[in-house]
């Protein structure tokens, strides 16, 4: 039987929680170390299963990884070879696609299987590949599911327009372009904090990237990169998840070690429904209250409301006084959490790519199943706020993205255990 979380709800969360490093920049940084062909020390790595898998994947192509404490790894990619990582690794993780950009830049050739990851509906990588082609690479596909990118005489900087401000495509093109000849400009680039973190890491390795965090990124190609010591930014989605959990349980939680600017859309929505949010220099305190209102949310690329906070917010709004609507602008199929929340007494209908949420007084414990990482986080929040006991199965999804979830929640007073 798989691991489960058992949560006895109804206890308000109180206290401080320290937020870990950002999963979605740790992953490209790990794969990005390949482009350096040198030794990098990466600090503030979250201890989650996606990071272990990413590190194992680069070890499969010749990298060596040594932890000097729980969150600091020394990654040596000098002996990495131009070979494809085993399909069973890449098929589990979306971020493995970053090996394409990193290897293409360093070796002029990359071959990686089609990436997997949380099932949120179709997740194509056509824009990553179109970007590589614009830099001069030739792309071929094999019937066995391999994608090969080749640029035998090297990549050449160019103007890359992204049809969608895709996080993955922006990072992958940036990764390939840092070692291209000449200048690349990415127009309609994604502006997420992970893009800025990744650009800062590459610049610390000798790259020349400007404009990260805006929709136009300029990359002046360099001959080679070198190793560096780099500390990852805090995880805005982990922080947002604890902020919402504080509100849903009517507790009071201070999320520490964060960048409050990254949290603006989440803080604004909490305030809008009547939940007090106090912002300090590198922490935010959320105080839950009875009788908060419903609202309307539209998920959008940063600085819009993050799609990765949508399911958690739905759990909160399920307990609001009033009607709410959550429109999903990134993943039209990100509603698999809805039937599970309804099993707990929520009243949510999915209509035309949005969740129509009629607030209820209370949720009750039930047996539910996580369908992906953030759907799992949504069920944890609902279970913490619900009356009675909830059992959540398929928690391997939650382990992909939340460091020490059980310990952190226990410290805040939750009655939670893993069995
Ligand atoms: N898209 C395309 N073509 C592409 C790339 C993307 O059509 O070539 C579409 C996708 O189908 C999707 C949308 O654009 O509908 C967004 O894709 P994007 O490339 O921006 O996302 P990603 O790089 O695949 C990252 C995070 C996700 C997060 C999204 C959006 C990582 C490893 N994953 O995915 O994180 O939801 O950005 O912010 O960085 C999570 O952490 O739970 C998670 C799913």
């Amino acid at each position: 039987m798989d691991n489960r979380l058992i949560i006895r709800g109804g206890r308000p969360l109180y206290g401080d929680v320290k937020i870990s490093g950002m999963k979605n920049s740790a992953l490209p940084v790990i794969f990005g170390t390949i482009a350096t062909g040198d030794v990098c020390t990466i600090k503030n790595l979250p201890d989650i299963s996606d990071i272990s898998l990413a590190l194992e994947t680069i070890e499969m192509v010749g990298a060596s990884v040594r932890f000097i404490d729980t969150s600091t790894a020394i990654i040596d990619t000098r002996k990495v070879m131009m070979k494809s990582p085993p399909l069973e690794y890449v098929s589990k993780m979306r971020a493995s696609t970053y090996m394409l950009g990193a290897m293409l830049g360093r070796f002029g050739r990359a071959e990686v299987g089609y990436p997997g990851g949380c099932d949120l509906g179709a997740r194509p990588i056509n824009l990553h590949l179109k970007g590589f082609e614009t830099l001069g690479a030739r792309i071929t596909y094999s019937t066995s599911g391999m994608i090969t990118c080749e640029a035998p005489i090297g990549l050449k900087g160019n103007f890359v327009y992204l049809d969608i401000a895709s996080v993955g495509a922006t990072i992958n093109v940036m990764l390939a372009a840092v070692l291209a000849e000449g200048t690349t400009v990415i127009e309609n680039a994604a502006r997420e904090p992970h893009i800025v973190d990744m650009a800062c890491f590459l610049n610390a390795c000798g790259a020349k990237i400007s404009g990260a965090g805006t929709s136009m990124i300029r990359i002046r190609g360099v001959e080679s990169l070198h190793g560096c010591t780099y500390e990852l930014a805090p995880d805005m989605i982990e922080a947002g998840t604890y902020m919402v959990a504080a509100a849903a349980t009517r507790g009071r939680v201070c999320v520490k070690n964060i960048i409050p600017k990254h949290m603006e859309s989440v803080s604004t929505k909490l305030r809008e429904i009547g939940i007090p949010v106090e912002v300090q220099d590198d922490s935010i305190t959320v105080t839950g209250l009875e009788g908060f209102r419903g609202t309307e949310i539209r998920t959008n690329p940063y600085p819009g409301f993050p799609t990765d906070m949508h399911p958690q917010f739905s759990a909160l709004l399920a307990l609001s006084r009033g009607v709410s609507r959550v429109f999903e602008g990134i993943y039209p199929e990100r509603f698999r959490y809805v039937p599970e929340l309804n099993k707990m007494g929520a009243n949510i209908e999915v209509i035309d790519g949005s969740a129509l949420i009629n607030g209820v007084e209370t949720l009750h414990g039930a047996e539910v199943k996580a369908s992906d990482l953030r759907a799992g986080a949504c069920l944890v929040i609902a279970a913490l706020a619900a009356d009675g006991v909830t059992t959540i199965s398929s928690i391997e999804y939650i382990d992909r993205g939340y460091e020490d979830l059980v310990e952190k929640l226990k410290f805040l007073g939750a009655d939670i255990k893993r069995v």
Side-chain angles (χ1 to χ4, degrees):
M1 203 199 284
D2 61 356
N3 281 340
R4 284 155 195 256
L5 287 178
I6 301 193
I7 300 174
R8 184 178 293 278
R11 289 178 163 216
L13 300 182
Y14 280 109
D16 296 349
V17 60
K18 184 171 174 282
I19 298 307
S20 307
M22 179 143 60
K23 167 179 86 78
N24 287 346
S25 56
L27 291 168
V29 163
I30 288 170
F31 290 110
T33 61
I34 291 177
T36 70
D38 202 356
V39 182
C40 298
T41 302
I42 310 301
K43 298 181 171 181
N44 206 23
L45 274 173
D47 184 6
I48 51 178
S49 66
D50 262 16
I51 296 302
S52 315
L53 183 62
L55 292 170
E56 282 167 35
T57 308
I58 63 167
E59 281 176 328
M60 297 309 289
V61 295
S64 81
V65 178
R66 184 164 63 85
F67 272 88
I68 52 174
D69 63 48
T70 50
S71 61
T72 309
I74 299 180
I75 304 177
D76 183 348
T77 60
R78 285 174 297 186
K79 293 194 181 140
V80 164
M81 291 156 289
M82 204 324 290
K83 71 179 211 190
S84 8
L87 260 182
E88 72 255 34
Y89 285 76
V90 298
S91 62
K92 286 188 201 143
M93 193 175 23
R94 174 84 176 164
S96 54
T97 172
Y98 295 135
M99 289 184 89
L100 283 173
M103 286 204 166
L104 184 59
R106 177 167 165 192
F107 300 115
R109 188 174 195 279
E111 191 177 59
V112 176
Y114 202 85
C118 275
D119 182 7
L120 304 170
R123 297 178 78 185
I125 57 164
N126 57 313
L127 300 175
H128 306 222
L129 301 176
K130 197 167 138 192
F132 298 150
E133 275 177 334
T134 311
L135 300 182
R138 200 167 66 95
I139 319 282
T140 46
Y141 308 86
S142 81
T143 45
S144 58
M146 300 302 280
I147 302 166
T148 308
C149 305
E150 286 169 297
I153 52 162
L155 295 168
K156 265 207 168 19
N158 204 343
F159 178 82
V160 176
Y161 172 78
L162 298 179
D163 299 296
I164 300 172
S166 149
V167 169
T170 303
I171 290 179
N172 234 341
V173 171
M174 220 160 64
L175 254 173
V178 286
L179 289 171
E181 189 194 323
T183 299
T184 297
V185 173
I186 309 177
E187 183 66 274
N188 197 28
R191 293 179 281 166
E192 270 70 4
H194 8 307
I195 307 286
V196 179
D197 216 12
M198 182 61 181
C200 290
F201 161 72
L202 289 170
N203 282 345
C205 297
K208 296 204 170 353
I209 303 173
S210 58
T214 75
S215 54
M216 193 174 84
I217 300 179
R218 183 180 295 271
I219 305 139
R220 253 195 304 139
V222 294
E223 288 260 308
S224 62
L225 298 174
H226 51 72
C228 74
T229 296
Y230 189 74
E231 180 165 346
L232 296 161
D235 195 308
M236 56 188 267
I237 304 300
E238 189 197 13
T241 301
Y242 285 99
M243 288 166 68
V244 171
T249 61
R250 278 80 158 160
R252 181 176 163 85
V253 172
C254 177
V255 289
K256 295 199 157 227
N257 187 38
I258 61 163
I259 300 175
K261 174 123 194 63
H262 295 170
M263 308 311 304
E264 270 169 8
S265 58
V266 170
S267 298
T268 303
K269 280 295 158 191
L270 285 172
R271 288 196 182 110
E272 201 174 288
I273 62 173
I275 306 278
V277 176
E278 299 153 62
V279 177
Q280 299 91 28
D281 283 350
D282 63 354
S283 61
I284 290 184
T285 304
V286 174
T287 309
L289 292 177
E290 297 292 335
F292 53 88
R293 297 181 285 277
T295 190
E296 192 172 295
I297 292 180
R298 284 172 194 273
T299 70
N300 268 310
Y302 189 85
F305 188 90
T307 175
D308 293 341
M309 282 302 302
H310 153 184
Q312 300 91 313
F313 241 85
S314 290
L316 175 63
L317 294 174
L319 286 163
S320 72
R321 253 187 218 155
V323 179
S324 303
R325 191 118 186 210
V326 183
F327 294 87
E328 176 52 54
I330 313 289
Y331 302 116
E333 293 177 36
R334 190 168 224 173
F335 293 99
R336 292 188 189 143
Y337 66 88
V338 169
E340 304 304 295
L341 273 190
N342 284 348
K343 276 187 205 162
M344 300 178 71
N347 180 353
I348 309 179
E349 241 183 297
V350 180
I351 303 173
D352 296 337
S354 73
L356 178 65
I357 305 174
N358 281 292
V360 294
E361 286 262 307
T362 50
L363 295 174
H364 55 75
E367 293 217 352
V368 290
K369 187 172 172 170
S371 55
D372 63 72
L373 167 56
R374 309 303 171 188
C378 149
L379 297 176
V380 169
I381 292 170
L384 291 167
D387 292 337
V389 177
T390 299
T391 305
I392 307 177
S393 59
S394 291
I395 61 168
E396 64 280 5
Y397 288 115
I398 305 177
D399 294 336
R400 297 184 74 145
Y402 290 92
E403 178 173 88
D404 292 340
L405 178 85
V406 169
E407 293 70 22
K408 287 184 182 184
L409 285 173
K410 266 191 180 159
F411 184 77
L412 295 173
D415 184 344
I416 176 169
K417 66 179 178 200
R418 173 191 289 266
V419 292

